[in-house]
Amino acid sequence: MLSNVRRTQHHVTKLFSHVLSVRSHTVRADDLTEVGRFTRPKSSGNYSCGQLFIHKKLHYRGVVLFPWVTRVFNRNSKTFPSQFDVKLKAGDTEEVPELPRESYKTDICYQVLVDNRDSPNHKQGIMFLGSDQRKFYTIPGIDYILHDNLLPYEDTSPSQPIQHDLFPKFLEKKSGPGGIASYYSTDMLHKFHEDNFDRLRLKDVHVQTTAGIRVFVCTFYMGSKTEAPTDQHWWRYTIMIENLGDVAVQLRERTWCIYSENDYRETITGTGVVGQEPIIPVGGCFQYSSMINLRSPTGHMWGTYLFEREDKKLCNASIPPSLLESQGLST
């Protein structure tokens, strides 16, 4: 069963003489707000907690909370074993080959806090299954982004740079020379990560490009709920769709294939995603999150999006297979 949870729409950024400004919806000069100055992106190493940034593709302001080393599996890479997906989709889980080291690349993925002003309609967030294993809890305004999608900047504003209730609780400010402020993690942020490490960690990202549409998928295990006659295991997932083609596309339909450990297979087809049929312009992105539950502790899922191009032609884009695993979560 799939249920709609979150989506993220992007806004527009503009740069004047290295001064970073963000605007939303209307194109008027008096809507522009200075938030800082760009700094040189890091080509090696990772950004520290407290680094302010603009998302290169979704164009929101944010701040880094925590970096993770993540495996990125690109289905278009020649080093990825094609039989892995073939066996997985056929349900031959015992015949699925092991993924060798050369089948993926490692990247830094950041857990970040998103500025409320840059996602006014619907905020990206994370969900937990509580310790009582009965209720879901949501923390809005937290996202995950890969290293190359982060455009760092320095804070030159006298006000709090990121508007989010958790910003002053997770980060403390220290002023430096030239009026440049830096931000450092608090004890509350350290405890947040210690208490929820397994639920927060992003281990794998799956990527596939079809017909000029690139799809990123990442999944997180949330826990299990005891419901007669069996437990229900829950995962949340986030998908980012990027239009690399030469015409705008509109997402018209989705089809999911879900396979559980007990050989139960379910196919779900529906209109659009999260109640929308988003139009994605050339070079644009659309991101959303949702949930899935199974009656077994492991499974896998994959699917297809149907797009209508600006020229009215239809095209399909693959959603790469993702493993749904429950191991390693302390409840």
Side-chain angles (χ1 to χ4, degrees):
M1 176 182 179
L2 297 174
S3 59
N4 299 330
V5 182
R6 302 281 180 220
R7 69 171 172 83
T8 297
Q9 288 184 311
H10 65 270
H11 295 269
V12 183
T13 60
K14 199 138 175 129
L15 182 65
F16 293 106
S17 302
H18 303 292
V19 176
L20 183 63
S21 299
V22 176
R23 64 177 171 81
S24 171
H25 304 302
T26 57
V27 185
R28 300 188 323 183
D30 56 1
D31 284 337
L32 296 169
T33 303
E34 180 180 325
V35 298
R37 291 184 175 86
F38 279 132
T39 59
R40 185 182 298 276
K42 288 189 174 183
S43 57
S44 61
N46 58 269
Y47 297 101
S48 300
C49 175
Q51 174 65 62
L52 300 170
F53 69 90
I54 292 286
H55 194 301
K56 186 186 296 185
K57 296 177 180 178
L58 296 174
H59 303 158
Y60 60 67
R61 286 167 285 185
V63 61
V64 170
L65 296 181
F66 202 81
W68 309 92
V69 177
T70 301
R71 299 185 303 179
V72 179
F73 296 92
N74 188 344
R75 293 321 200 269
N76 300 97
S77 173
K78 294 180 179 179
T79 60
F80 189 87
S82 59
Q83 284 300 304
F84 181 87
D85 286 352
V86 172
K87 296 294 184 181
L88 208 60
K89 292 180 179 181
D92 298 331
T93 53
E94 294 183 359
E95 301 296 326
V96 173
E98 292 290 329
L99 288 172
R101 173 61 185 84
E102 60 269 19
S103 67
Y104 63 88
K105 293 183 178 180
T106 57
D107 200 348
I108 303 297
C109 187
Y110 300 93
Q111 180 192 78
V112 302
L113 204 60
V114 180
D115 195 306
N116 293 335
R117 295 167 294 183
D118 297 335
S119 52
N121 298 319
H122 213 112
K123 300 177 179 65
Q124 187 71 18
I126 58 176
M127 295 191 71
F128 294 99
L129 189 60
S131 57
D132 58 4
Q133 301 296 291
R134 293 182 180 180
K135 296 181 180 179
F136 290 107
Y137 298 90
T138 302
I139 303 177
I142 290 183
D143 198 8
Y144 292 79
I145 72 172
L146 293 174
H147 182 88
D148 287 345
N149 288 336
L150 190 152
L151 294 173
Y153 72 89
E154 294 176 333
D155 176 29
T156 58
S157 172
S159 59
Q160 181 176 302
I162 303 298
Q163 297 300 311
H164 193 290
D165 290 343
L166 290 176
F167 186 90
K169 299 176 182 178
F170 281 174
L171 298 152
E172 60 179 331
K173 179 179 180 179
K174 294 184 180 180
S175 298
I180 302 299
S182 299
Y183 297 89
Y184 299 89
S185 57
T186 63
D187 291 340
M188 183 176 179
L189 179 57
H190 287 296
K191 182 171 175 52
F192 173 66
H193 277 282
E194 289 176 2
D195 292 346
N196 302 287
F197 182 88
D198 292 317
R199 292 177 176 87
L200 297 173
R201 183 186 179 193
L202 177 59
K203 294 172 58 179
D204 298 331
V205 175
H206 300 271
V207 187
Q208 188 165 2
T209 304
T210 315
I213 305 295
R214 183 156 58 192
V215 179
F216 296 80
V217 183
C218 53
T219 61
F220 305 82
Y221 183 59
M222 296 194 296
S224 63
K225 295 176 68 176
T226 302
E227 298 178 0
T230 59
D231 289 349
Q232 293 282 336
H233 294 268
W234 289 83
W235 291 262
R236 58 186 169 91
Y237 63 90
T238 297
I239 293 181
M240 186 172 76
I241 305 168
E242 184 177 5
N243 183 3
L244 304 177
D246 53 7
V247 295
V249 296
Q250 184 169 13
L251 202 167
R252 291 298 194 183
E253 186 178 273
R254 72 190 185 281
T255 298
W256 279 105
C257 295
I258 304 160
Y259 215 106
S260 64
E261 185 183 49
N262 55 14
D263 294 330
Y264 175 76
R265 176 170 174 168
E266 182 180 13
T267 301
I268 300 173
T269 299
T271 302
V273 293
V274 292
Q276 297 184 61
E277 296 178 61
I279 297 174
I280 308 176
V282 174
C285 294
F286 181 82
Q287 180 173 293
Y288 72 97
S289 295
S290 192
M291 296 191 301
I292 180 174
N293 69 70
L294 299 177
R295 293 182 178 179
S296 63
T298 59
H300 51 276
M301 65 181 190
W302 70 95
T304 305
Y305 291 124
L306 176 65
F307 288 93
E308 181 179 355
R309 291 161 43 100
E310 194 173 28
D311 56 13
K312 302 303 180 182
K313 294 181 180 179
L314 300 179
C315 63
N316 289 307
S318 297
I319 307 171
S322 299
L323 297 176
L324 302 172
E325 299 176 308
S326 60
Q327 290 85 353
L329 178 58
S330 301
T331 57

